[in-house]
């Protein structure tokens, strides 16, 4: 459970982004996403917001709508970024594969020669060919999965039930 204590409900939103929509304070956003990503089962996420100032039901609804709208927009943006990254790294993978195939062919040819210097050049070029493949492998094996987990967490945050309370209802325990 994540508890956010705010002076008023509007404090969670720090500024407007380029579309004119309010955005959640970056530190709060990082904290919320970190909490969401900790859990494998996103249904375990619970957010309580405690406001020290009073608020009306319409302010509460407006807050919830903006919160959900923010994470919906963030999930859409992350999805677009992911598609661009997939294309970029797929092209890099194709180029790396071509480079690797060329280098392997050269390394095989050079290794058959009796010249020790050319054989060493062939081995170095083989290592360079595998290095050309490293970035795409790193992306598709590690980064892509992390990115997809962040998108899932944002999508879940658009459906989360939040508990919003006024500080006076909490008593002395908070």
């Amino acid at each position: 459970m994540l508890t956010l204590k705010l002076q008023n409900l509007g404090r969670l939103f720090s500024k407007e982004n380029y579309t004119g929509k309010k955005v959640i304070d970056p530190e709060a956003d990082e904290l919320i996403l970190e909490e969401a990503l900790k859990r494998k089962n996103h249904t375990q996420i619970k957010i309580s917001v405690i406001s020290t100032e009073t608020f009306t039901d319409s302010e509460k609804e407006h807050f919830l709508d903006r919160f959900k709208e923010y994470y919906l927009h963030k999930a859409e943006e992350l999805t677009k970024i992911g598609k661009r990254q997939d294309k970029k790294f797929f092209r890099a993978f194709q180029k790396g594969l071509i480079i690797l195939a060329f280098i392997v062919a050269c390394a095989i040819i050079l290794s058959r020669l009796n010249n020790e210097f050319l054989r060493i050049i062939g081995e170095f070029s083989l290592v360079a060919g595998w290095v050309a493949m490293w970035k795409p492998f790193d992306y598709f094996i590690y980064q892509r999965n992390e990115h997809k987990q962040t998108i899932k967490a944002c999508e879940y945050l658009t459906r989360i039930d939040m508990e919003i309370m006024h500080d006076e209802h909490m008593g002395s325990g908070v």
Side-chain angles (χ1 to χ4, degrees):
M1 176 191 237
L2 175 64
T3 303
L4 302 173
K5 191 167 185 175
L6 307 171
Q7 184 177 359
N8 66 39
L9 294 180
R11 286 284 211 194
L12 185 62
F13 299 93
S14 62
K15 59 183 177 181
E16 292 183 358
N17 67 5
Y18 62 92
T19 64
K21 294 180 180 178
K22 294 277 189 179
V23 296
I24 291 180
D25 180 73
E27 289 179 15
D29 182 41
E30 184 178 338
L31 180 68
I32 291 167
L33 278 175
E34 182 180 310
E35 191 69 23
L37 290 168
K38 279 183 191 174
R39 290 156 174 70
K40 296 288 182 199
N41 182 359
H42 294 298
T43 58
Q44 297 174 344
I45 302 169
K46 174 92 169 136
I47 298 178
S48 293
V49 178
I50 302 168
S51 175
T52 56
E53 291 182 3
T54 58
F55 53 87
T56 64
D57 285 340
S58 65
E59 289 173 324
K60 178 180 173 180
E61 287 303 315
H62 184 65
F63 173 84
L64 290 172
D65 289 343
R66 284 192 341 201
F67 183 88
K68 291 177 181 184
E69 181 182 293
Y70 172 77
Y71 281 105
L72 179 64
H73 179 71
K74 186 168 185 141
E76 290 170 352
E77 287 298 311
L78 288 173
T79 301
K80 288 177 190 174
I81 290 168
K83 287 179 182 179
R84 284 193 301 267
Q85 291 289 84
D86 285 353
K87 286 179 185 177
K88 172 184 167 186
F89 282 104
F90 187 71
R91 281 192 299 272
F93 178 75
Q94 288 174 324
K95 288 177 184 176
L97 207 54
I98 291 168
I99 291 169
L100 182 62
F102 177 75
I103 287 177
V104 166
C106 289
I108 290 171
I109 292 169
L110 291 176
S111 68
R112 292 185 180 178
L113 300 174
N114 288 334
N115 187 330
E116 197 62 36
F117 178 72
L118 291 176
R119 195 173 300 157
I120 291 171
I121 297 285
E123 292 295 321
F124 277 128
S125 63
L126 192 57
V127 170
W130 284 111
V131 169
M133 297 295 292
W134 178 251
K135 275 277 205 192
F137 277 141
D138 179 55
Y139 173 75
F140 284 111
I141 293 173
Y142 301 109
Q143 294 175 17
R144 187 172 188 231
N145 189 41
E146 291 173 12
H147 191 78
K148 286 186 176 229
Q149 291 296 339
T150 304
I151 292 169
K152 276 184 184 178
C154 287
E155 288 172 347
Y156 182 74
L157 287 169
T158 64
R159 298 183 305 274
I160 194 169
D161 289 326
M162 294 177 67
E163 185 176 33
I164 301 177
M165 300 170 271
H166 185 268
D167 195 20
E168 70 183 23
H169 296 292
M170 298 305 295
S172 60
V174 175

